[in-house]
Amino acid sequence: MKEECQRALERVYLFLDGELLSSEERVEIRAHLEACRPCFERYGLEEVVTGLVARLRHAHRCPEHVRVRITSLLQ
């Protein structure tokens, strides 16, 4: 993965986790996602997974083997 992509995706994860980003950082991330299709597609998947996990977080305890498998797939 390109260094530029890595930096952009690291900040996207901060955004998805509810961290505050400056408006300049948001503009940079959006510009990168618009120009880089692979990152855009990855961001879309991560957003869906993060939302699903957040909704289900308190509903049921995830078995350890499932959590490990999901973590490995996302990396």
Side-chain angles (χ1 to χ4, degrees):
M1 177 180 294
K2 295 178 190 176
E3 187 176 330
E4 178 184 353
C5 295
Q6 183 69 33
R7 284 194 313 266
L9 289 175
E10 285 171 359
R11 292 185 295 175
V12 166
Y13 295 137
L14 291 174
F15 176 75
L16 290 175
D17 288 339
E19 299 291 327
L20 296 176
L21 297 174
S22 70
S23 56
E24 181 180 299
E25 287 175 308
R26 290 178 188 276
V27 168
E28 289 174 10
I29 291 169
R30 179 176 294 278
H32 180 79
L33 293 175
E34 289 174 357
C36 182
R37 186 73 180 175
C39 285
F40 179 79
E41 290 173 355
R42 181 175 176 125
Y43 170 72
L45 174 63
E46 294 293 337
E47 184 176 26
V48 170
V49 170
T50 300
L52 178 61
V53 170
R55 284 195 310 272
L56 299 175
R57 181 178 295 157
H58 301 290
H60 302 284
R61 178 148 171 80
C62 181
E64 183 66 18
H65 72 280
V66 174
R67 187 189 64 74
V68 169
R69 176 77 173 134
I70 291 171
T71 301
S72 69
L73 289 172
L74 291 174
Q75 294 175 352

